[in-house]
Amino acid sequence: NETGTYILKDIVVDGVKKYTPAQILRFTGLNKNESVEIPGQKISNAIKKLWETQSFSEVEVYVQSIEGEQIILRFNLQDLKELGEVKFSGKGIGKSKSEKLAKDNNLKPGTKITQNLVSTLKNTVPKEYVKKGYADAKITIQDKINANDPNLVDWTINVERGKKVKISHIEFEGNENVTDRKLRSKGFKDTKQRRFGIKGILKPSKFIEEKYEDDKENLISYYRSLGFRDARIVSDSVWRNPKNDYEINVKLSEGKKYYIGNIDFRGNSAFTTDYLQKILGYKTGDIYDAVGFNKKVGEDGGKEDDSDIKSIYMNNGYLFSNVTPIEKSVEGDSINLEIRIKKKKKATWNRVTWS
């Protein structure tokens, strides 16, 4: 039975060629003549530290010998292999494309071959093809010993992009006030179902998860622009049909349609209420387009042509002004709004330097 507490007399190292036992000992954090428990936390930490160096493909620790209270540990280690030549192969991949893929993924000669490197490649390389509609893209790596240096490993990375996968249908449930067609065209800006003709060419059908998540937010923004302030997605599902194309189903809760009630301005000492009301362009009784209303106030980047209230203040010297829309209260289907303005002092030129 080797369990117990001992004094570490020394270590021996098998397998590695690049490091001396003294260097391995420093990597582990262990010291000769210190007390170690078998098994114990110090040994576990030593193994962990060796893995963290990312220099080894195998780490094992055994008891070499025990003499009284003294112990010698044997570390069986295998050096990580390093990359030699790297080339990519696959449909549409020539020499220049292969070199670009290797450069983009930082696959240089001498790079240590870790499991993390392999896992990262199997994720990042196919991802570029997925963005182009090749949803089943994957890579396989073939390795062989470099002809000139047996310590290096050459890689041939074969890219299997597969066929393009389209979105067959996008269906909505719970949309009583807006048609599926409208939601597909106005709500989903980048996620499109299979279409024919010029539209299918300009916006091809492909499923990209990041774009799909953005489009779900766009969908709710579109509803809010129509006055459905409380609209939300109850659930959504994406799956592959027997033809291997995507099917998308989105369940919605529209809520009720809201209209603008009273609009009050607070802190508008620089401009009259009538002038600001004209700039705003919304009045009592209008559909409560929360998206458009906020942009006319100056929220979410404001208007591109600077025709929002905040831009009016800034363009007149009030660079540090704050203009904030507030939903003050709800009465039935009407929302009373307040626009709070803190204009602060006008900014003036201090010094102009020409160079």
Side-chain angles (χ1 to χ4, degrees):
N1 187 1
E2 298 169 341
T3 61
T5 302
Y6 301 91
I7 301 300
L8 181 62
K9 181 180 180 181
D10 205 351
I11 68 168
V12 294
V13 179
D14 289 338
V16 296
K17 300 176 182 178
K18 291 185 177 181
Y19 304 103
T20 66
Q23 288 174 311
I24 298 300
L25 190 63
R26 283 198 295 274
F27 289 159
T28 65
L30 296 172
N31 295 292
K32 291 182 181 181
N33 299 316
E34 76 170 316
S35 174
V36 293
E37 189 176 354
I38 307 295
Q41 191 61 46
K42 286 184 179 179
I43 302 302
S44 297
N45 288 342
I47 294 172
K48 182 180 178 183
K49 287 178 180 178
L50 286 170
W51 281 120
E52 287 175 348
T53 65
Q54 295 191 14
S55 298
F56 309 106
S57 61
E58 185 177 313
V59 177
E60 296 176 336
V61 183
Y62 299 95
V63 174
Q64 176 76 8
S65 64
I66 296 176
E67 296 179 7
E69 294 183 352
Q70 293 188 323
I71 191 170
I72 297 176
L73 297 177
R74 175 164 54 90
F75 286 80
N76 282 358
L77 308 172
Q78 291 297 324
D79 289 320
L80 280 175
K81 300 293 185 181
E82 294 180 357
L83 279 179
E85 296 179 5
V86 177
K87 67 176 182 179
F88 285 80
S89 64
K91 190 172 183 178
I93 299 178
K95 183 179 178 182
S96 60
K97 178 67 173 178
S98 175
E99 291 173 349
K100 184 178 186 303
L101 284 168
K103 183 179 179 181
D104 290 346
N105 290 280
N106 203 29
L107 299 176
K108 297 179 293 187
T111 300
K112 291 186 182 298
I113 301 175
T114 65
Q115 188 57 48
N116 182 59
L117 174 63
V118 174
S119 298
T120 300
L121 278 176
K122 289 187 174 181
N123 178 53
T124 56
V125 175
K127 197 171 183 179
E128 291 304 308
Y129 286 86
V130 171
K131 289 179 180 178
K132 298 175 182 177
Y134 298 99
D136 299 322
K138 62 181 181 179
I139 66 168
T140 54
I141 300 174
Q142 295 176 314
D143 55 39
K144 66 177 182 178
I145 301 300
N146 184 275
N148 299 317
D149 187 343
N151 294 315
L152 299 179
V153 175
D154 295 340
W155 270 4
T156 299
I157 303 171
N158 185 44
V159 180
E160 302 172 41
R161 68 185 191 183
K163 295 181 179 179
K164 281 192 173 183
V165 181
K166 305 289 186 180
I167 300 172
S168 183
H169 298 97
I170 302 175
E171 304 291 346
F172 299 93
E173 294 182 37
N175 51 315
E176 298 176 359
N177 295 279
V178 188
T179 65
D180 282 22
R181 186 175 180 179
K182 273 289 186 186
L183 295 179
R184 283 194 288 261
S185 63
K186 300 293 186 180
F188 278 10
K189 296 180 179 179
D190 292 299
T191 307
K192 300 294 185 182
Q193 69 180 28
R194 187 195 300 269
R195 297 177 296 176
F196 300 97
I198 190 66
K199 288 185 177 180
I201 296 173
L202 296 175
K203 274 288 184 181
S205 171
K206 54 188 176 182
F207 181 79
I208 302 172
E209 189 169 357
E210 294 87 347
K211 296 287 187 182
Y212 175 60
E213 293 300 320
D214 289 343
D215 275 341
K216 287 194 290 184
E217 293 183 13
N218 291 334
L219 183 69
I220 297 306
S221 291
Y222 176 59
Y223 259 108
R224 293 181 67 222
S225 73
L226 299 176
F228 296 96
R229 165 182 172 268
D230 301 327
R232 62 186 179 89
I233 293 175
V234 177
S235 64
D236 68 289
S237 53
V238 180
W239 71 95
R240 303 279 281 271
N241 63 25
K243 292 184 178 180
N244 215 29
D245 288 330
Y246 283 106
E247 302 281 352
I248 298 176
N249 180 270
V250 181
K251 293 183 180 179
L252 295 159
S253 172
E254 291 181 325
K256 64 182 179 181
K257 195 170 189 176
Y258 288 92
Y259 297 85
I260 295 176
N262 297 323
I263 303 175
D264 295 323
F265 292 86
R266 288 279 185 92
N268 54 316
S269 57
F271 302 101
T272 66
T273 297
D274 287 343
Y275 176 71
L276 294 179
Q277 184 71 62
K278 185 178 179 181
I279 296 297
L280 181 64
Y282 288 90
K283 62 184 183 301
T284 299
D286 286 349
I287 292 172
Y288 179 41
D289 168 11
V291 176
F293 186 92
N294 288 345
K295 278 190 171 292
K296 284 298 289 184
V297 172
E299 295 283 286
D300 304 323
K303 301 290 288 183
E304 291 184 4
D305 60 359
D306 287 350
S307 62
D308 56 90
I309 293 174
K310 186 173 183 178
S311 293
I312 296 299
Y313 272 86
M314 294 183 70
N315 292 338
N316 280 273
Y318 299 102
L319 300 182
F320 308 106
S321 60
N322 291 315
V323 184
T324 309
I326 302 293
E327 292 183 359
K328 193 174 180 182
S329 62
V330 179
E331 296 179 6
D333 63 356
S334 295
I335 296 182
N336 297 318
L337 302 161
E338 183 175 279
I339 299 174
R340 296 177 183 174
I341 301 166
K342 294 182 179 179
K343 63 180 179 63
K344 299 184 180 180
K345 290 183 179 180
K346 269 192 174 184
T348 56
W349 293 107
N350 182 15
R351 182 175 61 184
V352 178
T353 302
W354 298 90
S355 60

